[in-house]
Amino acid sequence: MSIFSLVTGRRGPSGFGSAATAEQVTEGIDASNVTAIVTGGGSGIGFETARVLALRGAHVIIAARDTDAANAAKRLILNNDGDARVDVLKLDLCSMKSIRSFVDNFIALDLPLNILINNAGIMFCPFQLSEDGFEVQFATNHLGHFLLTNLLLDKMKATARVSGIEGRIVNLSSIAHLHTYQEGIRFDDINDELSYSDKKAYGQSKLANILHANELSRRLQEGANITVNSLHPGLIMTNLMRHSFIAARIFRMFTYLLWKNVPQGAATTCYIALHPSLKGVTGKYFMECNETEPSALARDEHLAKKLWDFSNELVDSASKG
């Protein structure tokens, strides 16, 4: 998609462009027969995603580390739509123990699961390790969602089989996946503090989001009736920028025409999650509600397979530790 299209909001082949909002791209869609999990649904574009999915009738589970904020988001949704179905469950993607606890709590609700939106993330953090001993941006943005998705996959397969409704997994990546370490994923130096770059580490985690979606899409057999796609939501000033707020404000001064508001930022997520035109579409990367091509590293099938195996090894090592 060209800079001209981004600035003008010109519509792409999907019929939508950068100016479209989440409500606009889901207008007329009845989602009353689906249940969706939205990680990080208590604020920012995660909240807008949860709100619009609930507006369309979906039963939404907000998975959030800050349950106070998530419950406040739930009340706000219910205040505007008394018929909305929204629940909150605690999830800290930086903790594998928390992820496993979340899945146990969700399974105990005996609900179906049609849509999983891996939205939550952190950005440009100073170097630190997660409680499981992994660089925190990689741990939260990729590894946590990798484990969460794997643990929920059987539930999604069963729901798709019983209901006949296509399941959809949506990974929020970023155009920042273009700015990563030279090798893409630093398999041998994932926790190296001396060569750590907060910007490249973020880009690495966002590259991992695309590779994860592509490899999971490849591994899912056609009979599973589940699609997996990734996306760049756009440039949006949200709480995600808290570690680089001043730099982001300065950057925005020079690129203000490219920035979106939150309803526009949630549009591509909601489009992939609900739009009927994407039935059967899987293993693709979207921007401005239109399919586009990510970087060469993001399209590298060998790298995607290597990341899958590496992620499994890290999860296994953490569970044994």
Side-chain angles (χ1 to χ4, degrees):
M1 180 164 286
S2 68
I3 295 295
F4 176 78
S5 297
L6 293 175
V7 172
T8 63
R10 188 175 65 179
R11 297 177 181 182
S14 69
F16 302 109
S18 62
T21 66
E23 286 197 26
Q24 289 170 344
V25 303
T26 59
E27 187 174 359
I29 295 176
D30 180 5
S32 59
N33 58 350
V34 305
T35 300
I37 291 175
V38 181
T39 69
S43 63
I45 61 174
F47 167 71
E48 180 68 1
T49 298
R51 185 189 72 80
V52 172
L53 262 58
L55 181 67
R56 301 305 175 214
H59 184 178
V60 177
I61 310 298
I62 295 177
R65 179 175 55 185
D66 185 345
T67 52
D68 289 339
N71 278 305
K74 172 184 175 179
R75 289 192 296 271
L76 187 57
I77 293 172
L78 291 175
N79 285 343
N80 292 315
D81 180 6
D83 295 325
R85 294 177 294 159
V86 182
D87 288 299
V88 171
L89 289 177
K90 185 173 181 61
L91 171 65
D92 183 354
L93 286 160
C94 199
S95 162
M96 294 190 187
K97 180 180 178 182
S98 175
I99 294 166
R100 295 182 187 279
S101 177
F102 168 84
V103 172
D104 288 343
N105 290 334
F106 175 75
I107 297 299
L109 295 176
D110 197 26
L111 293 170
L113 181 58
N114 308 90
I115 299 170
L116 172 60
I117 298 179
N118 291 322
N119 164 84
I122 56 177
M123 183 180 185
F124 301 164
C125 305
F127 180 84
Q128 57 183 302
L129 298 179
S130 69
E131 70 173 46
D132 301 295
F134 306 119
E135 188 276 308
V136 72
Q137 292 193 82
F138 186 80
T140 303
N141 297 350
H142 165 64
L143 204 57
H145 282 127
F146 175 84
L147 176 60
L148 177 69
T149 302
N150 281 356
L151 293 177
L152 291 171
L153 206 51
D154 284 344
K155 168 62 78 171
M156 292 197 71
K157 289 178 179 178
T159 299
R161 183 174 62 251
V162 171
S163 67
I165 300 171
E166 178 182 82
R168 297 188 179 185
I169 298 171
V170 184
N171 279 5
L172 269 77
S173 178
S174 168
I175 199 169
H177 81 274
L178 296 167
H179 182 63
T180 181
Y181 297 105
Q182 184 175 359
E183 61 271 45
I185 307 293
R186 301 200 307 172
F187 296 107
D188 297 325
D189 299 301
I190 202 69
N191 289 338
D192 185 56
E193 183 175 0
L194 289 177
S195 58
Y196 177 78
S197 161
D198 58 352
K199 310 298 187 296
K200 290 182 179 180
Y202 179 70
Q204 173 181 245
S205 71
K206 295 291 100 180
L207 171 62
N209 292 149
I210 303 175
L211 293 170
H212 170 222
N214 292 351
E215 179 63 10
L216 179 55
S217 174
R218 187 189 69 80
R219 287 171 178 261
L220 284 172
Q221 299 177 355
E222 290 185 12
N225 195 24
I226 298 172
T227 65
V228 194
N229 293 291
S230 57
L231 67 102
H232 167 57
L235 296 173
I236 310 111
M237 186 66 74
T238 69
N239 194 44
L240 190 64
M241 302 271 188
R242 62 187 177 275
H243 291 290
S244 58
F245 183 76
I246 296 175
R249 296 284 293 193
I250 294 171
F251 177 64
R252 188 178 184 180
M253 287 173 58
F254 294 98
T255 58
Y256 68 96
L257 290 175
L258 302 179
W259 287 70
K260 295 181 172 187
N261 57 39
V262 169
Q264 292 169 336
T268 304
T269 303
C270 291
Y271 173 71
I272 297 173
L274 292 183
H275 207 278
S277 69
L278 294 185
K279 181 175 176 59
V281 176
T282 189
K284 304 299 182 182
Y285 175 71
F286 290 80
M287 183 168 66
E288 321 302 356
C289 298
N290 286 274
E291 183 183 332
T292 190
E293 192 172 77
S295 70
L297 284 171
R299 304 192 307 273
D300 187 327
E301 293 184 4
H302 173 73
L303 187 61
K305 293 174 185 177
K306 187 174 181 180
L307 175 64
W308 184 278
D309 293 339
F310 179 68
S311 302
N312 270 327
E313 290 172 6
L314 295 184
V315 169
D316 289 344
S317 68
S319 62
K320 292 175 182 176

